[in-house]
CSV table of all heavy atoms in Angstrom, one decimal:
chain,number,residue,atom,x,y,z
A,1,ASP,N,70.0,87.7,180.3
A,1,ASP,CA,70.1,88.5,179.1
A,1,ASP,C,71.4,89.2,179.1
A,1,ASP,O,72.0,89.6,180.1
A,1,ASP,CB,69.1,89.5,178.9
A,1,ASP,CG,67.7,88.9,178.6
A,1,ASP,OD1,67.6,87.8,178.2
A,1,ASP,OD2,66.7,89.5,179.0
A,2,LYS,N,72.1,89.4,177.8
A,2,LYS,CA,73.4,90.0,177.7
A,2,LYS,C,73.2,91.5,178.3
A,2,LYS,O,74.2,91.9,178.9
A,2,LYS,CB,73.7,90.0,176.1
A,2,LYS,CG,75.1,90.6,176.1
A,2,LYS,CD,75.6,90.6,174.5
A,2,LYS,CE,74.6,90.6,173.5
A,2,LYS,NZ,75.3,90.7,172.1
A,3,GLU,N,72.2,92.1,178.1
A,3,GLU,CA,72.0,93.4,178.6
A,3,GLU,C,72.1,93.5,180.2
A,3,GLU,O,72.3,94.5,180.7
A,3,GLU,CB,70.7,94.1,178.1
A,3,GLU,CG,70.7,94.3,176.5
A,3,GLU,CD,70.6,92.9,175.8
A,3,GLU,OE1,69.9,92.1,176.3
A,3,GLU,OE2,71.1,92.9,174.6
A,4,ALA,N,71.8,92.4,180.9
A,4,ALA,CA,71.8,92.3,182.3
A,4,ALA,C,73.1,91.7,182.9
A,4,ALA,O,73.0,91.4,184.0
A,4,ALA,CB,70.5,91.6,182.7
A,5,ALA,N,74.0,91.5,182.0
A,5,ALA,CA,75.3,90.9,182.5
A,5,ALA,C,75.8,91.6,183.7
A,5,ALA,O,75.8,92.9,183.7
A,5,ALA,CB,76.2,90.7,181.4
A,6,GLN,N,76.5,90.9,184.5
A,6,GLN,CA,77.1,91.6,185.7
A,6,GLN,C,78.5,90.8,186.0
A,6,GLN,O,78.6,89.7,185.7
A,6,GLN,CB,76.3,91.4,187.1
A,6,GLN,CG,75.0,92.1,186.8
A,6,GLN,CD,75.1,93.6,187.0
A,6,GLN,OE1,76.3,94.1,187.4
A,6,GLN,NE2,74.1,94.4,186.8
A,7,PRO,N,79.4,91.5,186.6
A,7,PRO,CA,80.7,90.8,186.9
A,7,PRO,C,80.3,89.5,187.8
A,7,PRO,O,79.4,89.6,188.7
A,7,PRO,CB,81.4,91.8,187.8
A,7,PRO,CG,80.8,93.1,187.3
A,7,PRO,CD,79.5,92.9,187.0
A,8,GLY,N,81.0,88.5,187.7
A,8,GLY,CA,80.8,87.3,188.4
A,8,GLY,C,79.9,86.1,187.5
A,8,GLY,O,79.8,85.0,187.9
A,9,ASP,N,79.3,86.8,186.6
A,9,ASP,CA,78.4,85.8,185.6
A,9,ASP,C,79.4,85.1,184.7
A,9,ASP,O,80.5,85.5,184.3
A,9,ASP,CB,77.5,86.5,184.7
A,9,ASP,CG,76.4,87.2,185.4
A,9,ASP,OD1,76.1,86.9,186.6
A,9,ASP,OD2,75.8,88.1,184.9
A,10,LEU,N,79.0,83.8,184.3
A,10,LEU,CA,79.7,83.0,183.5
A,10,LEU,C,79.3,83.4,182.0
A,10,LEU,O,78.0,83.8,181.8
A,10,LEU,CB,79.4,81.6,183.6
A,10,LEU,CG,79.8,80.8,184.9
A,10,LEU,CD1,79.3,79.3,184.9
A,10,LEU,CD2,81.3,80.9,185.0
A,11,ILE,N,80.2,83.5,181.1
A,11,ILE,CA,79.9,83.8,179.7
A,11,ILE,C,80.2,82.7,178.8
A,11,ILE,O,81.5,82.1,179.0
A,11,ILE,CB,80.5,85.1,179.2
A,11,ILE,CG1,80.1,85.6,177.8
A,11,ILE,CG2,82.1,85.1,179.4
A,11,ILE,CD1,80.5,86.9,177.5
A,12,LEU,N,79.3,82.2,178.0
A,12,LEU,CA,79.5,81.0,177.3
A,12,LEU,C,79.5,81.3,175.8
A,12,LEU,O,78.9,82.1,175.2
A,12,LEU,CB,78.2,80.1,177.5
A,12,LEU,CG,78.2,79.9,179.1
A,12,LEU,CD1,76.6,79.6,179.4
A,12,LEU,CD2,79.0,78.7,179.4
A,13,PHE,N,80.4,80.4,175.0
A,13,PHE,CA,80.6,80.5,173.7
A,13,PHE,C,80.6,79.2,173.0
A,13,PHE,O,80.8,78.2,173.6
A,13,PHE,CB,82.0,81.2,173.5
A,13,PHE,CG,82.1,82.4,174.1
A,13,PHE,CD1,82.7,82.7,175.3
A,13,PHE,CD2,81.8,83.5,173.3
A,13,PHE,CE1,82.9,83.8,175.9
A,13,PHE,CE2,81.9,84.9,174.0
A,13,PHE,CZ,82.6,85.0,175.3
A,14,LYS,N,80.5,79.3,171.6
A,14,LYS,CA,80.6,78.1,170.9
A,14,LYS,C,82.0,77.6,170.9
A,14,LYS,O,82.9,78.6,171.3
A,14,LYS,CB,80.1,78.2,169.4
A,14,LYS,CG,78.8,78.6,169.3
A,14,LYS,CD,78.4,79.0,167.8
A,14,LYS,CE,76.9,79.6,167.8
A,14,LYS,NZ,76.6,80.0,166.3
A,15,GLY,N,82.4,76.5,170.5
A,15,GLY,CA,83.9,76.2,170.5
A,15,GLY,C,84.5,76.9,169.2
A,15,GLY,O,84.1,77.9,168.7
A,16,HIS,N,85.6,76.1,168.6
A,16,HIS,CA,86.3,76.7,167.6
A,16,HIS,C,85.4,77.0,166.4
A,16,HIS,O,85.8,77.9,165.7
A,16,HIS,CB,87.4,75.8,167.2
A,16,HIS,CG,88.4,75.8,168.2
A,16,HIS,ND1,89.2,76.8,168.5
A,16,HIS,CD2,88.8,74.6,169.0
A,16,HIS,CE1,90.1,76.4,169.4
A,16,HIS,NE2,89.8,75.1,169.9
A,17,SER,N,84.3,76.3,166.2
A,17,SER,CA,83.5,76.5,164.9
A,17,SER,C,82.4,77.4,165.2
A,17,SER,O,81.5,77.1,166.2
A,17,SER,CB,83.0,75.2,164.5
A,17,SER,OG,82.0,75.4,163.4
A,18,SER,N,82.3,78.6,164.5
A,18,SER,CA,81.2,79.6,164.9
A,18,SER,C,79.9,79.0,164.3
A,18,SER,O,78.9,79.4,164.5
A,18,SER,CB,81.5,80.9,164.2
A,18,SER,OG,81.7,80.9,162.9
A,19,GLY,N,80.0,77.9,163.3
A,19,GLY,CA,78.9,77.4,162.7
A,19,GLY,C,78.1,76.4,163.6
A,19,GLY,O,76.9,76.1,163.3
A,20,GLY,N,78.6,75.9,164.5
A,20,GLY,CA,78.1,74.9,165.3
A,20,GLY,C,77.0,75.5,166.3
A,20,GLY,O,76.7,76.7,166.2
A,21,ASN,N,76.4,74.7,167.1
A,21,ASN,CA,75.3,75.2,168.0
A,21,ASN,C,75.5,74.6,169.4
A,21,ASN,O,74.6,74.5,170.2
A,21,ASN,CB,74.0,74.9,167.5
A,21,ASN,CG,72.9,75.8,168.1
A,21,ASN,OD1,73.3,76.9,168.5
A,21,ASN,ND2,71.7,75.4,167.9
A,22,ARG,N,76.9,74.2,169.8
A,22,ARG,CA,77.0,73.7,171.1
A,22,ARG,C,78.1,74.6,172.0
A,22,ARG,O,78.9,75.1,171.2
A,22,ARG,CB,77.8,72.3,170.8
A,22,ARG,CG,76.8,71.4,170.2
A,22,ARG,CD,77.5,70.0,170.0
A,22,ARG,NE,77.8,69.5,171.3
A,22,ARG,CZ,78.4,68.3,171.5
A,22,ARG,NH1,78.8,67.7,170.4
A,22,ARG,NH2,78.7,67.8,172.7
A,23,ILE,N,77.9,74.7,173.2
A,23,ILE,CA,78.8,75.3,174.0
A,23,ILE,C,80.1,74.7,174.1
A,23,ILE,O,80.1,73.5,174.3
A,23,ILE,CB,78.2,75.5,175.5
A,23,ILE,CG1,77.0,76.3,175.4
A,23,ILE,CG2,79.2,76.1,176.3
A,23,ILE,CD1,76.2,76.4,176.7
A,24,GLY,N,81.3,75.4,173.8
A,24,GLY,CA,82.5,74.7,173.9
A,24,GLY,C,83.6,75.6,174.5
A,24,GLY,O,84.7,75.3,174.5
A,25,HIS,N,83.1,76.8,175.1
A,25,HIS,CA,84.1,77.6,175.8
A,25,HIS,C,83.5,78.5,177.0
A,25,HIS,O,82.2,78.8,176.7
A,25,HIS,CB,84.8,78.5,174.8
A,25,HIS,CG,85.8,79.3,175.4
A,25,HIS,ND1,87.0,78.8,175.8
A,25,HIS,CD2,86.0,80.6,175.6
A,25,HIS,CE1,87.8,79.6,176.3
A,25,HIS,NE2,87.2,80.8,176.3
A,26,VAL,N,84.0,78.8,177.9
A,26,VAL,CA,83.4,79.6,179.1
A,26,VAL,C,84.3,80.6,179.6
A,26,VAL,O,85.6,80.1,179.6
A,26,VAL,CB,82.8,78.5,180.2
A,26,VAL,CG1,83.9,77.7,180.8
A,26,VAL,CG2,82.1,79.4,181.1
A,27,GLY,N,83.9,81.6,180.1
A,27,GLY,CA,84.7,82.6,180.8
A,27,GLY,C,84.0,83.2,182.1
A,27,GLY,O,82.9,82.9,182.3
A,28,LEU,N,84.7,84.1,182.7
A,28,LEU,CA,84.1,84.8,183.8
A,28,LEU,C,84.1,86.3,183.6
A,28,LEU,O,85.1,86.8,183.3
A,28,LEU,CB,84.9,84.5,185.2
A,28,LEU,CG,84.7,85.1,186.3
A,28,LEU,CD1,83.2,85.0,186.9
A,28,LEU,CD2,85.6,84.9,187.6
A,29,ILE,N,82.9,86.9,183.7
A,29,ILE,CA,82.7,88.4,183.5
A,29,ILE,C,83.5,89.1,184.5
A,29,ILE,O,83.1,88.8,185.7
A,29,ILE,CB,81.2,88.8,183.2
A,29,ILE,CG1,80.7,88.0,182.0
A,29,ILE,CG2,81.1,90.2,183.1
A,29,ILE,CD1,79.3,88.3,181.7
A,30,THR,N,84.3,90.0,184.2
A,30,THR,CA,85.0,90.7,185.2
A,30,THR,C,84.5,92.2,185.3
A,30,THR,O,84.5,92.9,186.4
A,30,THR,CB,86.5,90.8,185.1
A,30,THR,OG1,86.7,91.3,183.8
A,30,THR,CG2,87.1,89.4,185.2
A,31,GLU,N,83.9,92.8,184.2
A,31,GLU,CA,83.5,94.1,184.2
A,31,GLU,C,82.4,94.4,183.2
A,31,GLU,O,82.5,93.6,182.0
A,31,GLU,CB,84.8,95.1,183.7
A,31,GLU,CG,85.8,95.3,184.7
A,31,GLU,CD,86.8,96.3,184.1
A,31,GLU,OE1,86.4,97.5,183.9
A,31,GLU,OE2,87.9,95.9,184.1
A,32,VAL,N,81.5,95.2,183.3
A,32,VAL,CA,80.6,95.6,182.3
A,32,VAL,C,80.4,97.0,182.5
A,32,VAL,O,80.0,97.6,183.4
A,32,VAL,CB,79.1,94.9,182.6
A,32,VAL,CG1,78.1,95.3,181.6
A,32,VAL,CG2,79.2,93.4,182.7
A,33,ILE,N,80.8,97.7,181.4
A,33,ILE,CA,80.8,99.2,181.2
A,33,ILE,C,80.0,99.5,180.1
A,33,ILE,O,80.5,99.2,178.9
A,33,ILE,CB,82.1,99.8,181.3
A,33,ILE,CG1,82.9,99.3,182.5
A,33,ILE,CG2,82.0,101.3,181.1
A,33,ILE,CD1,84.3,99.8,182.6
A,34,GLY,N,78.8,99.9,180.1
A,34,GLY,CA,77.9,100.2,178.8
A,34,GLY,C,77.6,98.9,178.2
A,34,GLY,O,77.2,97.8,178.9
A,35,ASP,N,78.0,98.8,177.0
A,35,ASP,CA,77.8,97.4,176.2
A,35,ASP,C,79.1,96.8,176.2
A,35,ASP,O,79.2,95.7,175.4
A,35,ASP,CB,77.3,97.7,174.9
A,35,ASP,CG,78.1,98.6,173.9
A,35,ASP,OD1,79.1,99.1,174.5
A,35,ASP,OD2,77.9,98.6,172.7
A,36,GLN,N,80.1,97.1,176.9
A,36,GLN,CA,81.5,96.5,176.9
A,36,GLN,C,81.5,95.4,178.0
A,36,GLN,O,81.4,95.8,179.2
A,36,GLN,CB,82.6,97.5,177.1
A,36,GLN,CG,82.7,98.6,176.1
A,36,GLN,CD,83.3,97.9,174.8
A,36,GLN,OE1,84.1,97.1,174.9
A,36,GLN,NE2,82.6,98.3,173.7
A,37,VAL,N,81.6,94.2,177.6
A,37,VAL,CA,81.6,93.0,178.6
A,37,VAL,C,83.1,92.5,178.5
A,37,VAL,O,83.5,92.0,177.4
A,37,VAL,CB,80.6,92.0,178.2
A,37,VAL,CG1,80.8,90.8,179.2
A,37,VAL,CG2,79.2,92.5,178.2
A,38,LYS,N,83.9,92.7,179.6
A,38,LYS,CA,85.2,92.2,179.7
A,38,LYS,C,85.1,90.8,180.6
A,38,LYS,O,84.3,90.8,181.6
A,38,LYS,CB,86.0,93.2,180.5
A,38,LYS,CG,87.5,92.8,180.6
A,38,LYS,CD,88.1,94.0,181.3
A,38,LYS,CE,89.7,93.6,181.4
A,38,LYS,NZ,90.5,94.7,182.1
């Protein structure tokens, strides 16, 4: 869950179109401070 995110987790996004429903982008979480996920 987003509320349980920790550094080292993968974070996944839709591609360029926010209307789609497919994963098209990924990053690596480096910091979580409160509700701020970097």
Side-chain angles (χ1 to χ4, degrees):
D1 290 333
K2 183 168 39 172
E3 296 74 29
Q6 294 288 344
D9 291 342
L10 295 177
I11 187 164
L12 303 151
F13 301 94
K14 298 173 185 177
H16 293 291
S17 170
S18 63
N21 205 20
R22 297 179 61 185
I23 294 171
H25 190 67
V26 63
L28 171 64
I29 296 176
T30 58
E31 290 181 60
V32 179
I33 302 170
D35 64 348
Q36 296 289 316
V37 176
K38 182 178 179 181

